[in-house]
Coordinates of all heavy atoms in Angstrom, one line a residue:
M42 N 46.5 67.0 84.9 CA 46.0 68.3 84.4 C 44.6 68.5 85.0 O 43.8 67.6 85.0 CB 46.1 68.4 83.0 CG 47.5 68.4 82.5 SD 47.6 68.8 80.7 CE 49.1 68.2 80.3
A49 N 32.8 69.5 82.2 CA 32.3 68.7 83.2 C 30.8 68.9 83.5 O 30.0 68.0 83.8 CB 33.1 68.9 84.5
S54 N 32.7 70.4 74.7 CA 34.1 71.0 74.7 C 34.0 72.5 74.5 O 33.4 72.9 73.6 CB 35.0 70.3 73.6 OG 35.2 69.0 73.8
G57 N 38.6 76.3 74.8 CA 40.0 76.1 75.3 C 40.3 74.7 75.7 O 41.4 74.4 76.1
Q61 N 45.9 72.9 77.5 CA 47.1 72.5 78.2 C 47.9 71.4 77.5 O 49.1 71.5 77.5 CB 46.7 71.9 79.6 CG 46.0 73.0 80.5 CD 45.4 72.3 81.8 OE1 45.2 71.1 81.8 NE2 45.2 73.2 82.7
A63 N 47.9 71.0 74.3 CA 48.5 71.7 73.1 C 49.7 72.5 73.4 O 50.7 72.4 72.7 CB 47.5 72.5 72.4
A75 N 50.1 69.6 68.6 CA 49.4 70.7 69.2 C 48.1 71.2 68.4 O 47.1 71.4 69.0 CB 50.4 71.9 69.3
L91 N 52.0 89.0 69.1 CA 51.9 90.3 68.3 C 51.5 91.4 69.3 O 52.0 92.6 69.2 CB 50.9 90.2 67.2 CG 51.4 89.3 66.0 CD1 50.2 89.1 65.0 CD2 52.5 89.9 65.3
L92 N 50.5 91.1 70.1 CA 50.1 92.2 71.1 C 51.3 92.5 72.0 O 51.6 93.7 72.3 CB 49.0 91.7 71.9 CG 47.6 91.6 71.3 CD1 46.6 91.0 72.3 CD2 47.1 92.9 70.8
A95 N 53.9 94.7 70.3 CA 53.5 96.1 70.2 C 53.5 96.8 71.4 O 53.8 98.1 71.5 CB 52.1 96.1 69.6
F98 N 57.5 97.5 72.2 CA 58.1 98.4 71.3 C 57.1 99.4 70.8 O 56.8 99.5 69.6 CB 58.7 97.7 70.2 CG 59.7 96.6 70.6 CD1 59.3 95.3 70.5 CD2 60.9 96.9 71.1 CE1 60.2 94.3 70.9 CE2 61.8 95.9 71.5 CZ 61.4 94.6 71.4
S103 N 55.2 100.6 62.6 CA 54.6 99.4 62.0 C 53.9 98.6 63.1 O 52.8 98.2 62.9 CB 55.6 98.5 61.4 OG 56.3 99.2 60.4
T109 N 46.9 98.5 66.4 CA 45.6 99.3 66.2 C 44.7 98.4 65.3 O 43.4 98.3 65.7 CB 45.8 100.6 65.5 OG1 46.7 101.4 66.3 CG2 44.5 101.3 65.3
T112 N 43.4 95.1 67.4 CA 42.6 95.3 68.5 C 41.3 96.2 68.1 O 40.6 96.6 69.0 CB 43.3 96.0 69.6 OG1 43.9 97.2 69.2 CG2 44.5 95.1 70.1
L117 N 38.2 92.2 66.7 CA 37.8 91.5 67.9 C 36.5 90.8 67.6 O 36.3 89.7 68.1 CB 37.6 92.5 69.1 CG 39.0 93.1 69.6 CD1 38.7 94.1 70.7 CD2 40.0 92.1 69.9
I123 N 35.1 83.5 65.1 CA 35.9 82.3 65.0 C 35.9 81.5 66.2 O 35.8 80.2 66.0 CB 37.4 82.7 64.6 CG1 37.5 83.4 63.2 CG2 38.3 81.5 64.7 CD1 38.8 84.0 62.9
I129 N 31.3 75.5 68.2 CA 30.2 74.7 67.5 C 30.7 73.6 66.7 O 30.2 72.4 66.8 CB 29.3 75.7 66.7 CG1 28.6 76.6 67.6 CG2 28.3 74.9 65.8 CD1 28.0 77.8 66.9

Side-chain angles (χ1 to χ4, degrees):
M42 292 188 196
S54 296
Q61 293 172 343
L91 289 173
L92 289 176
F98 306 105
S103 298
T109 302
T112 59
L117 296 176
I123 290 170
I129 293 166

